[in-house]
Amino acid sequence: MSAPPTYSLESTDNGNFLLNLGPQHPGTHGVLRVVLQMDGEYILAADPVLGYGHRMQEKIAENMTYLQALPYVCRMDYLGAMSYSLAWVCAVEKLCSFEVPERAVHVRVMACELNRIASHLLWWGAYLLDLGAFTPFLQAFADREQILDLLEYITGSRLTYCYFRFGGLAADVDDVFLRRVEDFVTGFRQRLPRYHDLVTGNVIFHHRSKDVGVILPFEAAGYGVTGPCLRGSGFAYDVRKCEPYSGYDRFEFAVPAEQEGDCLARYNVRMAEMEQSLAIIEQAVATIPDGPYRARVPRVIRPPAGEVAMAVETPRGELVIFMVSDGSTRPCRVKFRVPSFANLSIFARLARGQLLADALAILGSLDMVIPEVDR
Amino acid sequence: MNGYRYLAGIVTGSVSLLKGMRVTFANMVSRPHTVQWPRQTAPLPARFRGHIRMLADEETGFPRCFACGSCARICPSACITVQGRKPGDRKKKVAVRFLLDFTKCSLCGLCVESCPARALAFSRDYALAGYRDTEFRTMDLLEGLASPFQF
Ligand code: SF4
Ligand code: SF4
């Protein structure tokens, strides 16, 4: 790592100047600061400055019991908290070789996919807001609200769910929930064309997103970009398919991918993913068995010494939790490999030479959650 | 050829804008999704997680808590302070002090789950507001409950 650059706000001889994008800019969706070196409207260099939201999540987790750390992992990606809980409980279950009852597996998948749709909807609304359209935001929130209501119904919380437990769930779901999920799937399928009418075909949107921020396939692989951004660059890589966890191999779904690698491709991937998530939810509701929702596990979790790496596909990409246990009740070492951090790393390269307005379009299309970057 | 493409672009572009406007206008005349808070409230689900509260024993009206400390130990943020004493005639302790530091509580629900006496529940109170944080730093959960102790 090189020494941190120093910044001066005075413009240089040739008229270049520095611009602070953030840390409180509506286009950065959190406390991200990007120092831009500008030549008029064009960006010469972009330099993300991180750490405003740093909370030492890894260290906190190392100082807590396995169960106590569970509420904390949700705080990293508050928009895809289910996947984070899932990664944490699956990592511990793998370490302790716990079995999870079928019913719990189905509910977990259902909850994670609902959460994924909610996250994509929020991204959709916020991204269009970045591009200057306000109506889509409200449209997305109206539908997202229904998902939050569903998840609140089973978990009691709207964002930081903390619903999974080692060996199962905190509470069972009832038939009312399953019927409501079915209704939502049907209803949302009917409303999806509206999204396409409103935005996907829109000529202004096309001009703003087509051929903007192109991630070439080798760059995507080199920077460790994952999730919809990687799939927008032509790799159909999805952890749910490549290393199935939590019973994802039981469900039929496709991994949508686009070749172009621009903002529009990432947009299309996410839109297609929502449909796939609906398909997964539908199958999970149809095949959910009766039975226990929580396996009997020891009250005090004391995994055998060893290490485990658990990869999970969050709405933003691949999350890996690496955990070392020394046989005590607290993890000896925890490492989170978060998708947003890796996805942000390519931003500097994409923003170079772009218009400022396009840089915002690119930043939005990477779909980052800043507390996850900083963690 | 280029001129034709240019014109075709204008036509398809305009059509796409009209299509989008149709969605917007349809929304304009549809039922609102919002409620007029505070005159109306949205329904709270049964499992809603508000701050924790202490349940009373049906028979005695005393707090159900017997001060085992299990909730205080499991709380990730160390929000709970609990103390108990044995009333003269009984074997089990009863809580004399149960304080919640709501400013640190993450509403995770681990305390409610861990209580062997099922003494804790979530309140349905979500519109908390105060003038200073001390009001929520030491919330007395035993307030309003009977106590076997004379002070
Ligand atoms: S809900 Fe969680 S954070 Fe709050 S008091 Fe209970 S255990 Fe502590
Ligand atoms: S776990 Fe229950 S009984 Fe034990 S101290 Fe807490 S509230 Fe009281």
Side-chain angles (χ1 to χ4, degrees), chain A residues 207-214 261-263 266 354 358 361-362:
Chain A
H207 283 291
R208 287 298 306 275
S209 60
K210 204 161 168 47
D211 298 329
V212 173
V214 178
D262 52 6
C263 293
R266 295 192 274 281
Q354 298 283 344
D358 282 345
I362 295 168

Side-chain angles (χ1 to χ4, degrees), chain B residues 11-83:
Chain B
V11 171
T12 51
S14 313
V15 170
S16 76
L17 291 183
L18 287 176
K19 252 178 152 182
M21 287 311 270
R22 202 182 61 201
V23 177
T24 309
F25 282 120
N27 276 342
M28 208 166 82
V29 292
S30 70
R31 215 163 36 82
H33 288 269
T34 46
V35 295
Q36 298 295 328
W37 203 81
R39 271 161 285 144
Q40 296 171 342
T41 48
L44 274 191
R47 288 187 191 164
F48 178 77
R49 305 210 300 254
H51 69 76
I52 52 171
R53 66 194 174 88
M54 176 64 62
L55 298 177
D57 194 293
E58 283 95 16
E59 287 171 26
T60 58
F62 301 151
R64 272 200 220 174
C65 169
F66 57 87
C68 69
S70 145
C71 55
R73 270 197 306 278
I74 205 163
C75 175
S77 327
C79 313
I80 298 175
T81 315
V82 53
Q83 281 168 357

Side-chain angles (χ1 to χ4, degrees), chain A residues 7-73:
Chain A
Y7 302 111
S8 117
L9 286 175
E10 282 158 31
S11 49
T12 48
D13 300 339
N14 50 11
N16 297 347
F17 60 94
L18 287 176
L19 183 70
N20 268 314
L21 183 71
Q24 296 104 350
H25 189 280
T28 59
H29 304 290
V31 276
L32 173 70
R33 174 173 164 221
V34 187
V35 180
L36 300 170
Q37 211 176 337
M38 307 286 296
D39 178 6
E41 274 281 286
Y42 286 90
I43 295 170
L44 296 177
D47 197 359
V49 184
L50 314 178
Y52 292 95
H54 179 52
R55 288 151 296 168
M56 301 198 295
Q57 293 274 12
E58 293 173 1
K59 202 70 205 166
I60 289 176
E62 287 165 18
N63 283 306
M64 300 225 161
T65 65
Y66 289 91
L67 182 58
Q68 283 177 334
L70 183 60
Y72 279 92
V73 293

Side-chain angles (χ1 to χ4, degrees), chain A residues 229-282:
Chain A
C229 302
L230 179 66
R231 294 192 279 277
S233 294
F235 290 103
Y237 173 80
D238 188 320
V239 186
R240 291 175 293 173
K241 264 274 192 273
C242 303
E243 301 171 40
Y245 55 90
S246 183
Y248 269 105
D249 45 354
R250 268 164 255 180
F251 303 107
E252 296 271 331
F253 63 100
V255 179
E258 299 273 330
Q259 299 303 321
E260 291 82 10
D262 52 6
C263 293
L264 186 61
R266 295 192 274 281
Y267 171 94
N268 285 332
V269 165
R270 289 199 181 95
M271 294 309 272
E273 264 183 36
M274 288 204 266
E275 278 165 42
Q276 296 305 324
S277 292
L278 286 179
I280 298 176
I281 295 169
E282 210 168 39

Side-chain angles (χ1 to χ4, degrees), chain B residues 52 74-77 79-80 100 104-111 122:
Chain B
I52 52 171
I74 205 163
C75 175
S77 327
C79 313
I80 298 175
L100 168 69
K104 287 197 290 184
C105 172
S106 56
L107 298 172
C108 63
L110 295 183
C111 51
F122 299 110

